[in-house]
Amino acid sequence: MAVQTAAKKERAPFDYDRYLRPKKLPHIWCPGCGHGIVLKSLIRAIDASGLTKDQICMVSGIGCSSRTPGYVDFNTLHTLHGRSFAYATGVKLAKPELKVIVISGDGDALAIGGNHFIHTCRRNIDMTILVYSNFIYGMTGGQYSPTTPQGAIATTSRFGNIEPVFDCCDLAKAAGATFVARGTSYHCQDLEKTILEAIRHKGTSVVEIIDQCPTYYGRLNKLRSATEMMEKFEKNGTVSVKQVDKLPPEKVEGKLLRGILHRVERPEYCEEYDKLIQDAKGK
Amino acid sequence: MADKTKRLLQGNEACAEGALYAGCNFFAGYPITPSTEIGECLSVRLPKTGGKFIQMEDEIGAISAIIGASLAGSKSLTATSGPGFSLKQEGIGFACMTEVPCVIVNVMRGGPSTGFPTGPSQSDIMQAKWGAHGDHPAVVLTPSTVQEIFYETVRSFNLSEKYRTPVILLYDEIVGHMREPIVIPEEGEVEIVNRIKPTCPPEEYLPYDDSHEIAPLAAYGEGYRFHVTGLNHKPDGFPTNDPKLIEKENKRIIDKIENNKKQIWKNEAIDLDDATIGIFAYGSIARSARYAVNIMRDKDIKVGLLRPLTIWPFPEEAVSEMAEKVKVIIVPEMNLGQAVIEVERVAGGKCEVVGINRVDGDPIHPQQIIEVIEKYK
């Protein structure tokens, strides 16, 4: 047994470079930003999925998270603010054999891209959507977003944010997404498994990922470090769906659920379109 | 006996037929008057040929989807009108910047805003050129008849594929909804241009290789894993902040059209050789102008017509030649004076330039043009 354990420990380290475009690094993300951790989970999930790099098309909109496609060695498309879902729909419908992964943020998906987001979910077109939610517009310097908590300070809510938040997962489920999950950059190993499940799912899969923006959200809200933010919002701010029934109500109150929240089977858009083609050809 | 090769089609239906003839296999759109029939027609015709039709959630979604589809290797089209054309501008700018072929039809209706949705207009001439922010190229075609809509739709796809740029097909509600007999050519009768694909090994592929005038364009999923961004980018497709590279790119996407404008221009000159009075007219109003020319020629009044089928890049050479010969150029258009600004610029004082304008939803009738000709005869 001892020999086997030693052999396991000597396993070659994961080769991230195989999926990256090393010449395009360093990335633009600030120290302490959660996006790099999410990228790591995403790459590991893609590796586990067995998909080849040529099979993947990664599409994004505008924002810090949307810079991800520039760093990864897939077919990559960095589009306009909020529009990634519609561009991705065009790519997928034109070439259904591609696995489309959309990288988005809380402002990109839930504000300017809200309409495209909900209708993509409604169609149940096969794509995996990752919404990185760090409660703020990072790239433009810290304005409040649809996930900024009420009372929080942003550069456009200096007196405290009065707007209620959007629950990305509830929205995706209500709109018709057939796989809905939430993860965090703190629980990065769980996140990897969740993303893998999302990629394997046939239909629209949405994973909201709670991560942190220490540069803007943290600084404006007197959270001194990235780790403090991860503990507050991710470790202590979420509860696993697997544990939620076992916990007393006071330990669940006000916390976001983490894990796979919704999974159903429903006809996928491109497959339905193929049937439509067969019908139309017969008429 | 009826000529079986002729079909009675509406302008918008002819556009759909032209798109299919050109090899269009992807349409995304959003219903809007007076262009809706293009989408309706393609929703039936495309799946029969294995093509894809999707009605998107909005106009922006539609232009976005056709750009995505084009990058996946499709020949793609969207169609819109009025406010929908305004909404599509950010996507048009993206396609210019990323050099993605696609065709945008704008069937012009009265504006601004919701305006007069069922009425004709030619008030998007300047928006078609300047609608998207930033300096960018514009290739805009203006057919006058149902048959011409067919051919100009084919030409829109050909130019778009050849120059890797969005092409705008711009016609007014009158020709869009008019029914005329047209002939659909046999397969192979009209040349179809397809984008050049790379032949180099994937690791050497540069999607914006500026050693080519028009760089080959791979499709996603074919082994060329390239990057596309609306940010200013280098020949390899990745973003740059280098001022020299930014300027080079911004100029290159305009120059590729500017340097080839002689191949993109297409005009019809009617009775211009001996004309002392010239008319510059496009779209349905060129038909009124032609009628006016015929009437006046019968009275031995030397009037001629220049009818551009390519309005952008602006037909400078043809207008300049006309300005040398005539004492006045009359520019009738269903707007408050848009193409006339360009005619004045090009004429440069060599002759008088006078506009005839109408924005009440009625076309400019031949008689209105004749009245102006009478003043100058």
Side-chain angles (χ1 to χ4, degrees):
Chain A
M1 290 298 281
V3 177
Q4 275 180 359
T5 310
K8 261 189 183 172
K9 279 184 182 167
E10 281 165 25
R11 195 173 52 181
F14 188 90
D15 180 14
Y16 293 97
D17 282 356
R18 199 160 85 74
Y19 294 96
L20 293 171
R21 290 165 166 154
K23 286 182 190 163
K24 305 304 162 197
L25 298 169
H27 56 65
I28 62 156
W29 300 319
C30 304
C33 172
H35 294 357
I37 301 170
V38 180
L39 178 58
K40 188 173 162 171
S41 297
L42 173 60
I43 287 174
R44 293 180 75 101
I46 287 169
D47 184 72
S49 75
L51 290 162
T52 68
K53 294 195 281 184
D54 285 327
Q55 283 176 299
I56 294 172
C57 182
M58 191 175 280
V59 187
S60 67
I62 294 292
C64 296
S65 59
S66 286
R67 296 300 282 264
T68 303
Y71 309 130
V72 289
D73 189 19
F74 307 122
N75 302 284
T76 53
L77 176 54
H78 176 221
T79 72
L80 297 168
H81 203 15
R83 316 298 172 215
S84 56
F85 313 103
Y87 280 84
T89 298
V91 170
K92 181 68 186 179
L93 184 56
K95 206 169 245 183
E97 61 268 34
L98 287 169
K99 177 71 209 182
V100 175
I101 299 173
V102 178
I103 308 292
S104 187
D106 38 314
D108 195 52
L110 305 177
I112 194 164
N115 200 31
H116 308 301
F117 177 72
I118 59 173
H119 288 277
T120 304
C121 293
R122 177 176 64 85
R123 289 187 192 100
N124 195 34
I125 188 165
D126 185 40
M127 66 176 69
T128 297
I129 297 170
L130 305 187
V131 182
Y132 296 40
S133 178
N134 55 7
F135 326 128
I136 204 108
Y137 285 87
M139 190 158 268
T140 46
Q143 297 74 34
Y144 70 86
S145 86
T147 59
T148 303
Q150 282 187 307
I153 306 298
T155 57
T156 46
S157 65
R158 291 287 183 186
F159 307 107
N161 177 32
I162 59 167
E163 294 192 15
V165 298
F166 242 145
D167 184 315
C168 175
C169 293
D170 281 353
L171 180 68
K173 184 184 169 188
T178 47
F179 179 104
V180 179
R182 186 181 284 117
T184 81
S185 63
Y186 180 88
H187 305 89
C188 60
Q189 288 173 319
D190 286 349
L191 180 63
E192 176 189 330
K193 290 176 198 146
T194 304
I195 295 173
L196 177 60
E197 290 292 308
I199 289 171
R200 284 179 174 159
H201 178 80
K202 187 84 173 172
T204 305
S205 52
V206 176
V207 184
E208 184 190 25
I209 301 158
I210 309 296
D211 72 350
Q212 68 283 353
C213 174
T215 300
Y216 292 111
Y217 192 89
R219 192 162 49 85
L220 289 164
N221 290 284
K222 307 216 168 0
L223 294 153
R224 301 291 171 198
S225 68
T227 47
E228 189 182 336
M229 294 185 77
M230 289 171 91
E231 297 222 339
K232 180 178 164 72
F233 295 113
E234 301 170 34
K235 184 186 173 196
N236 300 324
T238 62
V239 172
S240 165
V241 279
K242 290 176 186 163
Q243 292 163 353
V244 69
D245 290 339
K246 298 171 202 160
L247 293 169
E250 64 271 21
K251 292 214 167 181
V252 179
E253 178 82 39
K255 294 185 179 182
L256 289 170
L257 288 180
R258 192 177 74 239
I260 297 167
L261 310 178
H262 174 66
R263 177 153 50 177
V264 290
E265 294 291 318
R266 197 156 62 79
E268 189 276 327
Y269 187 84
C270 295
E271 290 184 352
E272 290 301 295
Y273 201 91
D274 278 344
K275 288 183 202 160
L276 183 150
I277 287 176
Q278 295 315 315
D279 285 352
K281 280 181 175 172
K283 281 172 189 165
Chain B
M1 215 173 87
D3 183 349
K4 281 190 180 166
T5 61
K6 280 198 174 170
R7 289 172 63 186
L8 182 67
L9 290 185
Q10 188 196 62
N12 284 340
E13 291 167 348
C15 174
E17 292 296 332
L20 292 166
Y21 189 91
C24 170
N25 54 1
F26 192 99
F27 178 93
Y30 187 83
I32 189 163
T33 304
S35 64
T36 308
E37 295 87 358
I38 301 168
E40 286 179 333
C41 189
L42 287 170
S43 74
V44 176
R45 296 295 308 281
L46 275 171
K48 284 178 186 286
T49 57
K52 308 288 170 69
F53 165 92
I54 186 167
Q55 186 173 302
M56 292 297 286
E57 54 276 8
D58 59 32
E59 297 280 2
I60 302 171
I63 181 94
S64 303
I66 68 159
I67 298 168
S70 182
L71 282 165
S74 294
K75 279 183 151 179
S76 61
L77 175 75
T78 188
T80 190
S81 297
F85 191 53
S86 302
L87 285 166
K88 290 198 193 296
Q89 295 300 333
E90 68 162 7
I92 293 170
F94 184 87
C96 288
M97 183 62 146
T98 54
E99 299 181 70
V100 176
C102 56
V103 177
I104 299 100
V105 184
N106 175 18
V107 186
M108 289 181 282
R109 70 187 221 185
S113 187
T114 314
F116 187 19
T118 54
S121 145
Q122 294 178 316
S123 53
D124 299 341
I125 295 293
M126 284 298 177
Q127 195 190 3
K129 164 75 175 162
W130 301 111
H133 63 276
D135 292 303
H136 58 277
V139 179
V140 183
L141 312 184
T142 47
S144 281
T145 69
V146 174
Q147 181 74 65
E148 238 171 40
I149 288 176
F150 177 91
Y151 284 123
E152 292 307 292
T153 305
V154 176
R155 195 162 73 97
S156 296
F157 274 97
N158 284 351
L159 292 171
S160 172
E161 293 283 316
K162 183 171 182 181
Y163 296 108
R164 269 188 69 175
T165 197
V167 172
I168 294 163
L169 183 68
L170 191 65
Y171 56 85
D172 52 79
E173 186 272 346
I174 297 174
V175 265
H177 280 159
M178 179 183 287
R179 285 183 187 276
E180 289 182 301
I182 79 159
V183 176
I184 295 179
E186 295 290 324
E187 199 181 322
E189 248 179 85
V190 180
E191 189 199 11
I192 301 300
V193 179
N194 292 311
R195 67 192 73 170
I196 295 168
K197 296 234 178 168
T199 51
C200 64
E203 60 276 15
E204 290 171 20
Y205 178 55
L206 298 172
Y208 302 94
D209 185 355
D210 51 14
S211 67
H212 295 73
E213 186 177 32
I214 312 294
L217 180 61
Y220 285 150
E222 291 180 346
Y224 293 87
R225 293 189 301 275
F226 61 105
H227 186 59
V228 172
T229 175
L231 289 164
N232 272 109
H233 43 267
K234 297 174 283 181
D236 65 5
F238 291 93
T240 181
N241 290 327
D242 181 332
K244 280 185 187 153
L245 293 176
I246 289 170
E247 179 158 283
K248 193 175 177 190
E249 183 187 31
N250 288 345
K251 285 183 171 169
R252 186 178 57 74
I253 60 171
I254 286 171
D255 287 348
K256 72 178 177 181
I257 302 305
E258 192 61 20
N259 295 341
N260 289 293
K261 61 187 176 189
K262 286 186 191 225
Q263 283 75 50
I264 300 169
W265 281 335
K266 186 176 171 187
N267 306 300
E268 188 186 19
I270 297 162
D271 292 337
L272 266 179
D273 287 344
D274 63 344
T276 56
I277 297 169
I279 305 173
F280 180 92
Y282 51 92
S284 66
I285 301 310
R287 301 168 69 127
S288 293
R290 176 156 200 173
Y291 193 86
V293 168
N294 290 346
I295 301 261
M296 297 317 273
R297 280 278 166 179
D298 285 346
K299 295 181 183 173
D300 286 331
I301 295 163
K302 290 186 169 137
V303 187
L305 168 66
L306 177 66
R307 187 171 75 85
L309 282 100
T310 302
I311 196 109
W312 300 110
F314 194 74
E316 290 158 354
E317 213 169 76
V319 171
S320 181
E321 267 176 38
M322 178 163 70
E324 298 276 355
K325 281 191 269 187
V326 299
K327 56 186 173 189
V328 63
I329 301 176
I330 300 164
V331 187
E333 42 184 349
M334 285 188 285
N335 58 46
L336 290 175
Q338 296 194 15
V340 71
I341 299 168
E342 283 293 292
V343 175
E344 277 170 355
R345 175 181 71 82
V346 175
K350 285 184 282 189
C351 67
E352 199 176 334
V353 176
V354 56
I356 302 175
N357 308 100
R358 187 159 191 176
V359 287
D360 63 353
D362 250 358
I364 295 170
H365 295 264
Q367 191 53 39
Q368 262 185 284
I369 301 169
I370 288 168
E371 281 164 18
V372 178
I373 295 169
E374 295 279 3
K375 287 187 203 161
Y376 288 92
K377 72 181 181 192

